[in-house]
Structures are given as C-alpha cells and as structure tokens.
C-alpha cells in the first residue's frame, strides 16, 4: 500500500488513541458514561491539529477534522451495517486505483477528446493505448470516429472496466482489457495516453523510456512528467485547464 493512505490512517489513529486514553479513564473514574458527541468532536479537533503540524494539504485537514464527528452522527442514524459494507464494496469496485496507486476515476472531457482526435487524425492510422481507461470516455468516441486507428484500454477497477466494456461493445477497433496499467506493453503502441495523477508520473516515465519505440508519442493529460520538458503542450479550452503534455520518443 502506498505511503499516503498509511500516513493518514496513522494520523487519525494517533488522535483517537490520544483522546480516548485521556477521556476513558477520566469518565470511568467518575463512574459516568462517555459523552460520545464531545469525544468525537475532541478527536476531530486533535486530528485536525495533528494534520496541520504534519503540513497536510487543507483537504486532508478538513477530512481529519470532520471524520470522527461524522462517524458519531452516522452512528446515531442506526443504519444497518450491511449498507456500509455494500457502499464500501461498490466504492472499491470503482475506486480501486485510488487506493492502490493514488489514481481516482475522473473522465476526460469532450474538448480533450477532440484535441486527441485532431492529433491522431494528423498522425494517420496508428495504435493508441489509454492507460487507466476508465469507462471509455476517450477510447470509445475516438474508436467511432477514427475507424482506421486501433484503440486499447487498460483499466483495473472491476466495475469501471465492466461499464466501459458494455459501452464499448461492438467496436472492432477497440480492445478493452481488465488489467494493471503497469503490465501494458507500451512498445506495441504508437501513441500512449495517460490521465492519472502526479503520483505515478516519475515511475511511468521510466516505463515509457524503457518500452516505447523511437517515433512514438506519450501524452499526459494535466500531469507533466516532473523534470522533463514536453516537446509540445496542447492547451485544451476548458475549465479547469487540462493541458495535454506531449513527449516525443
Ligand atoms: C483519471 S481516470 C481517467 C479515465 C480515462 N482515461 C479518461 O480519460 O476518461 C484514471 C483511471 O485509471 C484507473 N487506474 C488507476 N490505477 C490503475 C492501474 N494500476 N491499472 C489500470 N487502471 C488504473 C482508474 O481506475 C481510473 O479509471
């Protein structure tokens, strides 16, 4: 498991242990029931302070501050625990990439797909690979509009993959794989597209350099390769900005 989830877990656990180790003996000593609302608020406050000391970004501080109070509030709703299990499984089926590699699901927009279409049309028939292909928002419209090109998508979140597979059915120029993007043979493709997150970019660049053939093109949506100047940046007109960083091999 990557470091970030472990670090956040440790931070929240530290706040829980700190507050409970003080509050529990105190209320036990006074023979009084624990005031769980106040305790959860205290845990939230301590966790937010710890997150600030640990220089976490503002959203992590907000998550830490709100987590235990929300747990308390949800507990008061007396919802059957089975629903939480179901929600957890569904989230895991869609957001597996966020847990295992800090890459959640969000989709390329129409303007980006148009920019990729222009790029691929200029290039002529070729093999295009989408690393972490989501539900096919990129590969499916491109496969429809560029029938001479061949498209492959690698997606490892089961439900996301299944939705993409269903949406992409019946397209002879689209191959849809339920697989880890790190297992994709990049050398078999002329254009490799990634819309991931800053976290995997250094490792991905090592893979790109090791496997992609001279003359092929690596395109990263929104997240440049740290320390490497792209050969071209396509400014896609959309909000928020989603530049396409192009690296010619
Ligand atoms: C930001 S989304 C981009 C989706 C799609 N490429 C698009 O442009 O609309 C990133 C996708 O990568 C997937 N992903 C994350 N880690 C992966 C891995 N190791 N192998 C395969 N897919 C992965 C996520 O599940 C998610 O669907």
């Amino acid at each position: 498991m990557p470091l970030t989830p472990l670090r956040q877990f440790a931070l929240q656990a530290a706040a829980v242990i700190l507050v409970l180790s003080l509050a529990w003996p105190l209320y036990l000593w006074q023979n009084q029931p624990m005031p769980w609302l106040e305790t959860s608020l205290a845990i939230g406050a301590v966790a937010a302070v710890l997150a600030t000391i640990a220089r976490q970004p503002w959203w992590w501080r907000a998550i830490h501050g709100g987590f235990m109070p929300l747990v308390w509030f949800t507990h008061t709703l007396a919802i059957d625990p089975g629903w939480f299990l179901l929600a957890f499984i569904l989230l895991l089926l869609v957001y597996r990439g966020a847990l295992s590699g800090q890459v959640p699901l969000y989709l390329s927009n129409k303007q980006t797909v148009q920019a990729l279409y222009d790029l691929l049309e200029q290039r002529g028939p070729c093999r295009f690979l989408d690393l972490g292909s989501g539900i096919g928002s990129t590969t499916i419209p491109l496969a429809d509009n560029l029938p001479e090109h061949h498209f492959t998508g690698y997606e490892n979140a089961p439900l996301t993959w299944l939705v993409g597979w269903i949406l992409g059915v019946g397209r002879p120029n689209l191959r849809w794989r339920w697989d880890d993007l790190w297992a994709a043979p990049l050398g078999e493709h002329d254009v490799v597209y990634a819309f991931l997150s800053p976290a995997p970019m250094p490792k991905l660049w090592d893979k790109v350099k090791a496997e992609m053939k001279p003359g092929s093109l690596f395109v990263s949506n929104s997240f440049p390769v740290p320390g490497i100047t792209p050969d071209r940046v396509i400014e896609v007109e959309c909000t928020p900005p989603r530049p396409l960083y192009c690296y010619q091999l």
Side-chain angles (χ1 to χ4, degrees), residues 119-163:
L119 190 86
L120 292 175
E121 201 197 24
Q122 267 175 22
R123 212 178 162 90
C126 64
R127 287 156 302 170
F128 175 97
L129 170 65
D130 185 359
L131 292 172
S133 43
I135 58 168
S137 322
T138 307
T139 42
I140 295 173
L142 289 176
D144 284 342
N145 291 300
L146 293 166
E148 300 296 313
H149 291 60
H150 193 272
F151 296 88
T152 303
Y154 269 63
E155 173 57 49
N156 76 343
L159 198 55
T160 312
W161 170 85
L162 181 66
V163 171

Tab-separated table of all heavy atoms in Angstrom, residues 119-163:
chain	number	residue	atom	x	y	z
A	119	LEU	N	-5.073	15.260	-33.095
A	119	LEU	CA	-3.700	14.739	-33.045
A	119	LEU	C	-3.580	13.419	-33.807
A	119	LEU	O	-2.673	13.214	-34.612
A	119	LEU	CB	-3.324	14.524	-31.573
A	119	LEU	CG	-1.889	14.219	-31.251
A	119	LEU	CD1	-1.128	15.527	-31.097
A	119	LEU	CD2	-1.810	13.446	-29.931
A	120	LEU	N	-4.544	12.524	-33.566
A	120	LEU	CA	-4.483	11.185	-34.174
A	120	LEU	C	-4.806	11.244	-35.664
A	120	LEU	O	-4.227	10.495	-36.454
A	120	LEU	CB	-5.456	10.240	-33.463
A	120	LEU	CG	-5.083	9.896	-32.021
A	120	LEU	CD1	-6.175	9.061	-31.361
A	120	LEU	CD2	-3.754	9.145	-31.969
A	121	GLU	N	-5.726	12.144	-36.047
A	121	GLU	CA	-6.074	12.258	-37.469
A	121	GLU	C	-4.872	12.733	-38.267
A	121	GLU	O	-4.563	12.203	-39.344
A	121	GLU	CB	-7.245	13.227	-37.635
A	121	GLU	CG	-7.965	13.017	-38.956
A	121	GLU	CD	-8.835	14.191	-39.320
A	121	GLU	OE1	-8.568	15.318	-38.837
A	121	GLU	OE2	-9.779	13.986	-40.089
A	122	GLN	N	-4.159	13.713	-37.697
A	122	GLN	CA	-2.942	14.223	-38.356
A	122	GLN	C	-1.905	13.115	-38.499
A	122	GLN	O	-1.206	13.023	-39.493
A	122	GLN	CB	-2.313	15.311	-37.486
A	122	GLN	CG	-2.759	16.714	-37.821
A	122	GLN	CD	-2.162	17.703	-36.820
A	122	GLN	OE1	-1.156	17.425	-36.163
A	122	GLN	NE2	-2.810	18.847	-36.694
A	123	ARG	N	-1.821	12.274	-37.501
A	123	ARG	CA	-0.791	11.234	-37.465
A	123	ARG	C	-1.083	10.088	-38.436
A	123	ARG	O	-0.195	9.373	-38.853
A	123	ARG	CB	-0.728	10.683	-36.028
A	123	ARG	CG	0.628	10.237	-35.614
A	123	ARG	CD	0.638	9.751	-34.195
A	123	ARG	NE	1.832	8.961	-33.982
A	123	ARG	CZ	2.980	9.451	-33.569
A	123	ARG	NH1	3.090	10.724	-33.291
A	123	ARG	NH2	4.028	8.661	-33.438
A	124	GLY	N	-2.342	9.888	-38.759
A	124	GLY	CA	-2.718	8.769	-39.625
A	124	GLY	C	-2.949	7.511	-38.810
A	124	GLY	O	-2.686	7.493	-37.597
A	125	PRO	N	-3.432	6.425	-39.464
A	125	PRO	CA	-3.773	5.201	-38.729
A	125	PRO	C	-2.618	4.730	-37.838
A	125	PRO	O	-1.494	4.614	-38.308
A	125	PRO	CB	-4.063	4.187	-39.844
A	125	PRO	CG	-4.507	5.032	-40.989
A	125	PRO	CD	-3.718	6.319	-40.895
A	126	CYS	N	-2.926	4.486	-36.560
A	126	CYS	CA	-1.892	4.048	-35.624
A	126	CYS	C	-2.548	3.331	-34.453
A	126	CYS	O	-3.777	3.232	-34.371
A	126	CYS	CB	-1.074	5.239	-35.142
A	126	CYS	SG	-2.016	6.432	-34.200
A	127	ARG	N	-1.715	2.836	-33.530
A	127	ARG	CA	-2.235	2.111	-32.355
A	127	ARG	C	-2.156	3.022	-31.131
A	127	ARG	O	-1.067	3.512	-30.788
A	127	ARG	CB	-1.413	0.841	-32.141
A	127	ARG	CG	-1.704	-0.243	-33.163
A	127	ARG	CD	-0.555	-1.182	-33.312
A	127	ARG	NE	0.652	-0.449	-33.705
A	127	ARG	CZ	1.865	-0.960	-33.741
A	127	ARG	NH1	2.067	-2.199	-33.404
A	127	ARG	NH2	2.911	-0.233	-34.106
A	128	PHE	N	-3.309	3.215	-30.508
A	128	PHE	CA	-3.440	4.151	-29.386
A	128	PHE	C	-3.769	3.364	-28.121
A	128	PHE	O	-4.650	2.503	-28.120
A	128	PHE	CB	-4.576	5.136	-29.707
A	128	PHE	CG	-4.922	6.112	-28.604
A	128	PHE	CD1	-4.386	7.400	-28.603
A	128	PHE	CD2	-5.811	5.763	-27.597
A	128	PHE	CE1	-4.721	8.316	-27.603
A	128	PHE	CE2	-6.154	6.669	-26.593
A	128	PHE	CZ	-5.608	7.948	-26.603
A	129	LEU	N	-3.064	3.686	-27.044
A	129	LEU	CA	-3.309	2.996	-25.762
A	129	LEU	C	-3.690	4.015	-24.706
A	129	LEU	O	-3.012	5.030	-24.527
A	129	LEU	CB	-2.028	2.260	-25.336
A	129	LEU	CG	-1.987	1.682	-23.926
A	129	LEU	CD1	-3.016	0.561	-23.756
A	129	LEU	CD2	-0.582	1.141	-23.621
A	130	ASP	N	-4.795	3.735	-23.991
A	130	ASP	CA	-5.199	4.581	-22.861
A	130	ASP	C	-4.867	3.828	-21.569
A	130	ASP	O	-5.460	2.777	-21.276
A	130	ASP	CB	-6.702	4.887	-22.955
A	130	ASP	CG	-7.158	5.866	-21.883
A	130	ASP	OD1	-6.316	6.288	-21.061
A	130	ASP	OD2	-8.356	6.202	-21.868
A	131	LEU	N	-3.924	4.365	-20.801
A	131	LEU	CA	-3.515	3.718	-19.540
A	131	LEU	C	-4.449	4.167	-18.427
A	131	LEU	O	-4.430	5.331	-18.031
A	131	LEU	CB	-2.081	4.118	-19.203
A	131	LEU	CG	-0.987	3.583	-20.118
A	131	LEU	CD1	0.355	4.224	-19.769
A	131	LEU	CD2	-0.876	2.066	-20.030
A	132	GLY	N	-5.260	3.280	-17.919
A	132	GLY	CA	-6.284	3.660	-16.941
A	132	GLY	C	-7.440	4.263	-17.715
A	132	GLY	O	-7.659	5.477	-17.703
A	133	SER	N	-8.178	3.391	-18.411
A	133	SER	CA	-9.100	3.890	-19.451
A	133	SER	C	-10.491	4.207	-18.927
A	133	SER	O	-11.368	4.573	-19.722
A	133	SER	CB	-9.169	2.868	-20.589
A	133	SER	OG	-9.251	1.561	-20.063
A	134	GLY	N	-10.716	4.077	-17.619
A	134	GLY	CA	-11.999	4.475	-17.038
A	134	GLY	C	-13.168	3.745	-17.676
A	134	GLY	O	-13.156	2.528	-17.846
A	135	ILE	N	-14.196	4.521	-18.050
A	135	ILE	CA	-15.376	3.904	-18.682
A	135	ILE	C	-15.355	4.124	-20.204
A	135	ILE	O	-16.374	3.991	-20.867
A	135	ILE	CB	-16.695	4.433	-18.080
A	135	ILE	CG1	-16.788	5.963	-18.213
A	135	ILE	CG2	-16.829	4.024	-16.615
A	135	ILE	CD1	-18.166	6.517	-17.909
A	136	GLY	N	-14.168	4.492	-20.713
A	136	GLY	CA	-14.040	4.608	-22.170
A	136	GLY	C	-14.416	5.964	-22.730
A	136	GLY	O	-14.640	6.085	-23.940
A	137	SER	N	-14.429	7.001	-21.882
A	137	SER	CA	-14.808	8.339	-22.370
A	137	SER	C	-13.878	8.831	-23.477
A	137	SER	O	-14.252	9.688	-24.271
A	137	SER	CB	-14.753	9.364	-21.242
A	137	SER	OG	-15.205	8.823	-20.061
A	138	THR	N	-12.653	8.305	-23.505
A	138	THR	CA	-11.694	8.714	-24.528
A	138	THR	C	-11.704	7.722	-25.697
A	138	THR	O	-11.909	8.109	-26.855
A	138	THR	CB	-10.271	8.746	-23.913
A	138	THR	OG1	-10.312	9.548	-22.753
A	138	THR	CG2	-9.270	9.295	-24.887
A	139	THR	N	-11.499	6.458	-25.358
A	139	THR	CA	-11.284	5.463	-26.413
A	139	THR	C	-12.542	5.201	-27.249
A	139	THR	O	-12.435	4.996	-28.457
A	139	THR	CB	-10.801	4.132	-25.803
A	139	THR	OG1	-11.556	3.878	-24.627
A	139	THR	CG2	-9.331	4.161	-25.490
A	140	ILE	N	-13.720	5.211	-26.623
A	140	ILE	CA	-14.931	4.844	-27.383
A	140	ILE	C	-15.261	5.879	-28.474
A	140	ILE	O	-15.389	5.516	-29.650
A	140	ILE	CB	-16.125	4.573	-26.443
A	140	ILE	CG1	-15.831	3.333	-25.584
A	140	ILE	CG2	-17.418	4.374	-27.232
A	140	ILE	CD1	-16.841	3.048	-24.497
A	141	PRO	N	-15.356	7.190	-28.147
A	141	PRO	CA	-15.632	8.146	-29.229
A	141	PRO	C	-14.518	8.187	-30.269
A	141	PRO	O	-14.793	8.352	-31.471
A	141	PRO	CB	-15.778	9.494	-28.519
A	141	PRO	CG	-15.261	9.300	-27.145
A	141	PRO	CD	-15.354	7.848	-26.832
A	142	LEU	N	-13.259	7.998	-29.830
A	142	LEU	CA	-12.163	8.006	-30.805
A	142	LEU	C	-12.266	6.792	-31.729
A	142	LEU	O	-12.062	6.900	-32.943
A	142	LEU	CB	-10.811	8.014	-30.085
A	142	LEU	CG	-10.434	9.328	-29.378
A	142	LEU	CD1	-9.119	9.177	-28.612
A	142	LEU	CD2	-10.321	10.479	-30.378
A	143	ALA	N	-12.607	5.631	-31.151
A	143	ALA	CA	-12.736	4.418	-31.976
A	143	ALA	C	-13.865	4.585	-32.995
A	143	ALA	O	-13.764	4.121	-34.136
A	143	ALA	CB	-12.991	3.209	-31.082
A	144	ASP	N	-14.939	5.292	-32.600
A	144	ASP	CA	-16.058	5.508	-33.527
A	144	ASP	C	-15.670	6.429	-34.676
A	144	ASP	O	-16.082	6.225	-35.814
A	144	ASP	CB	-17.244	6.136	-32.777
A	144	ASP	CG	-17.967	5.098	-31.936
A	144	ASP	OD1	-17.778	3.892	-32.198
A	144	ASP	OD2	-18.706	5.492	-31.013
A	145	ASN	N	-14.892	7.460	-34.351
A	145	ASN	CA	-14.606	8.491	-35.352
A	145	ASN	C	-13.329	8.263	-36.142
A	145	ASN	O	-13.083	8.948	-37.129
A	145	ASN	CB	-14.563	9.862	-34.668
A	145	ASN	CG	-15.956	10.267	-34.211
A	145	ASN	OD1	-16.871	10.395	-35.012
A	145	ASN	ND2	-16.127	10.416	-32.907
A	146	LEU	N	-12.500	7.318	-35.688
A	146	LEU	CA	-11.252	7.014	-36.409
A	146	LEU	C	-11.205	5.500	-36.655
A	146	LEU	O	-10.439	4.777	-36.007
A	146	LEU	CB	-10.039	7.467	-35.582
A	146	LEU	CG	-9.881	8.986	-35.390
A	146	LEU	CD1	-8.872	9.299	-34.291
A	146	LEU	CD2	-9.451	9.654	-36.699
A	147	PRO	N	-12.023	4.997	-37.585
A	147	PRO	CA	-12.142	3.540	-37.748
A	147	PRO	C	-10.860	2.864	-38.231
A	147	PRO	O	-10.697	1.655	-38.050
A	147	PRO	CB	-13.276	3.391	-38.781
A	147	PRO	CG	-13.444	4.729	-39.405
A	147	PRO	CD	-12.930	5.755	-38.448
A	148	GLU	N	-9.942	3.635	-38.829
A	148	GLU	CA	-8.689	3.040	-39.305
A	148	GLU	C	-7.658	2.880	-38.173
A	148	GLU	O	-6.668	2.182	-38.322
A	148	GLU	CB	-8.060	3.910	-40.417
A	148	GLU	CG	-8.945	4.095	-41.641
A	148	GLU	CD	-9.204	2.782	-42.336
A	148	GLU	OE1	-8.237	2.032	-42.550
A	148	GLU	OE2	-10.380	2.501	-42.663
A	149	HIS	N	-7.871	3.594	-37.083
A	149	HIS	CA	-6.950	3.513	-35.945
A	149	HIS	C	-7.355	2.332	-35.057
A	149	HIS	O	-8.502	1.900	-35.074
A	149	HIS	CB	-6.998	4.783	-35.104
A	149	HIS	CG	-6.424	5.995	-35.781
A	149	HIS	ND1	-6.905	6.520	-36.955
A	149	HIS	CD2	-5.392	6.797	-35.408
A	149	HIS	CE1	-6.204	7.584	-37.289
A	149	HIS	NE2	-5.278	7.777	-36.376
A	150	HIS	N	-6.391	1.870	-34.246
A	150	HIS	CA	-6.714	0.795	-33.312
A	150	HIS	C	-6.530	1.290	-31.876
A	150	HIS	O	-5.520	1.924	-31.558
A	150	HIS	CB	-5.838	-0.436	-33.568
A	150	HIS	CG	-6.366	-1.616	-32.835
A	150	HIS	ND1	-5.997	-1.896	-31.537
A	150	HIS	CD2	-7.269	-2.557	-33.194
A	150	HIS	CE1	-6.660	-2.981	-31.139
A	150	HIS	NE2	-7.441	-3.401	-32.119
A	151	PHE	N	-7.505	0.987	-31.015
A	151	PHE	CA	-7.512	1.531	-29.656
A	151	PHE	C	-7.499	0.406	-28.617
A	151	PHE	O	-8.194	-0.601	-28.775
A	151	PHE	CB	-8.749	2.414	-29.446
A	151	PHE	CG	-8.736	3.618	-30.339
A	151	PHE	CD1	-9.276	3.558	-31.625
A	151	PHE	CD2	-8.137	4.787	-29.923
A	151	PHE	CE1	-9.213	4.652	-32.470
A	151	PHE	CE2	-8.074	5.896	-30.757
A	151	PHE	CZ	-8.625	5.816	-32.036
A	152	THR	N	-6.710	0.628	-27.564
A	152	THR	CA	-6.679	-0.330	-26.444
A	152	THR	C	-6.840	0.445	-25.136
A	152	THR	O	-6.240	1.517	-24.970
A	152	THR	CB	-5.327	-1.085	-26.409
A	152	THR	OG1	-5.141	-1.725	-27.666
A	152	THR	CG2	-5.316	-2.142	-25.312
A	153	GLY	N	-7.635	-0.104	-24.221
A	153	GLY	CA	-7.785	0.499	-22.904
A	153	GLY	C	-7.419	-0.506	-21.832
A	153	GLY	O	-7.849	-1.660	-21.881
A	154	TYR	N	-6.595	-0.084	-20.859
A	154	TYR	CA	-6.273	-0.900	-19.691
A	154	TYR	C	-6.936	-0.262	-18.476
A	154	TYR	O	-6.674	0.909	-18.176
A	154	TYR	CB	-4.755	-0.928	-19.444
A	154	TYR	CG	-4.029	-2.056	-20.111
A	154	TYR	CD1	-3.998	-2.162	-21.491
A	154	TYR	CD2	-3.336	-3.014	-19.363
A	154	TYR	CE1	-3.318	-3.196	-22.113
A	154	TYR	CE2	-2.646	-4.049	-19.979
A	154	TYR	CZ	-2.643	-4.134	-21.357
A	154	TYR	OH	-1.967	-5.154	-21.972
A	155	GLU	N	-7.781	-1.025	-17.798
A	155	GLU	CA	-8.469	-0.494	-16.616
A	155	GLU	C	-8.497	-1.584	-15.552
A	155	GLU	O	-8.851	-2.725	-15.852
A	155	GLU	CB	-9.898	-0.060	-17.007
A	155	GLU	CG	-10.777	0.344	-15.860
A	155	GLU	CD	-10.223	1.483	-15.001
A	155	GLU	OE1	-9.813	2.513	-15.559
A	155	GLU	OE2	-10.191	1.317	-13.769
A	156	ASN	N	-8.143	-1.239	-14.307
A	156	ASN	CA	-8.084	-2.303	-13.292
A	156	ASN	C	-9.226	-2.270	-12.267
A	156	ASN	O	-9.356	-3.201	-11.477
A	156	ASN	CB	-6.717	-2.331	-12.594
A	156	ASN	CG	-6.553	-1.206	-11.591
A	156	ASN	OD1	-7.302	-0.231	-11.634
A	156	ASN	ND2	-5.574	-1.322	-10.715
A	157	ALA	N	-10.052	-1.214	-12.251
A	157	ALA	CA	-11.183	-1.196	-11.312
A	157	ALA	C	-12.334	-1.999	-11.933
A	157	ALA	O	-12.809	-1.657	-13.018
A	157	ALA	CB	-11.609	0.233	-11.032
A	158	PRO	N	-12.783	-3.081	-11.249
A	158	PRO	CA	-13.703	-4.023	-11.901
A	158	PRO	C	-14.998	-3.417	-12.442
A	158	PRO	O	-15.369	-3.672	-13.586
A	158	PRO	CB	-14.012	-5.039	-10.792
A	158	PRO	CG	-12.922	-4.886	-9.798
A	158	PRO	CD	-12.405	-3.493	-9.898
A	159	LEU	N	-15.669	-2.584	-11.624
A	159	LEU	CA	-16.959	-2.052	-12.073
A	159	LEU	C	-16.769	-1.035	-13.195
A	159	LEU	O	-17.527	-1.004	-14.170
A	159	LEU	CB	-17.682	-1.409	-10.875
A	159	LEU	CG	-19.167	-1.182	-11.047
A	159	LEU	CD1	-19.901	-2.457	-11.427
A	159	LEU	CD2	-19.772	-0.606	-9.760
A	160	THR	N	-15.736	-0.226	-13.060
A	160	THR	CA	-15.417	0.770	-14.094
A	160	THR	C	-15.125	0.047	-15.415
A	160	THR	O	-15.626	0.426	-16.475
A	160	THR	CB	-14.173	1.576	-13.649
A	160	THR	OG1	-14.365	1.985	-12.303
A	160	THR	CG2	-13.952	2.771	-14.520
A	161	TRP	N	-14.300	-0.996	-15.310
A	161	TRP	CA	-13.968	-1.776	-16.502
A	161	TRP	C	-15.241	-2.348	-17.134
A	161	TRP	O	-15.419	-2.285	-18.362
A	161	TRP	CB	-13.008	-2.920	-16.125
A	161	TRP	CG	-12.822	-3.881	-17.253
A	161	TRP	CD1	-11.933	-3.766	-18.284
A	161	TRP	CD2	-13.595	-5.057	-17.501
A	161	TRP	NE1	-12.097	-4.814	-19.157
A	161	TRP	CE2	-13.119	-5.623	-18.703
A	161	TRP	CE3	-14.643	-5.688	-16.829
A	161	TRP	CZ2	-13.655	-6.794	-19.243
A	161	TRP	CZ3	-15.173	-6.852	-17.369
A	161	TRP	CH2	-14.672	-7.389	-18.564
A	162	LEU	N	-16.132	-2.884	-16.282
A	162	LEU	CA	-17.347	-3.527	-16.803
A	162	LEU	C	-18.234	-2.507	-17.540
A	162	LEU	O	-18.731	-2.791	-18.643
A	162	LEU	CB	-18.128	-4.174	-15.652
A	162	LEU	CG	-19.397	-4.910	-16.052
A	162	LEU	CD1	-19.065	-6.126	-16.911
A	162	LEU	CD2	-20.189	-5.358	-14.822
A	163	VAL	N	-18.389	-1.330	-16.946
A	163	VAL	CA	-19.209	-0.291	-17.596
A	163	VAL	C	-18.596	0.063	-18.955
A	163	VAL	O	-19.290	0.148	-19.975
A	163	VAL	CB	-19.334	0.971	-16.696
A	163	VAL	CG1	-19.994	2.116	-17.435
A	163	VAL	CG2	-20.103	0.637	-15.423
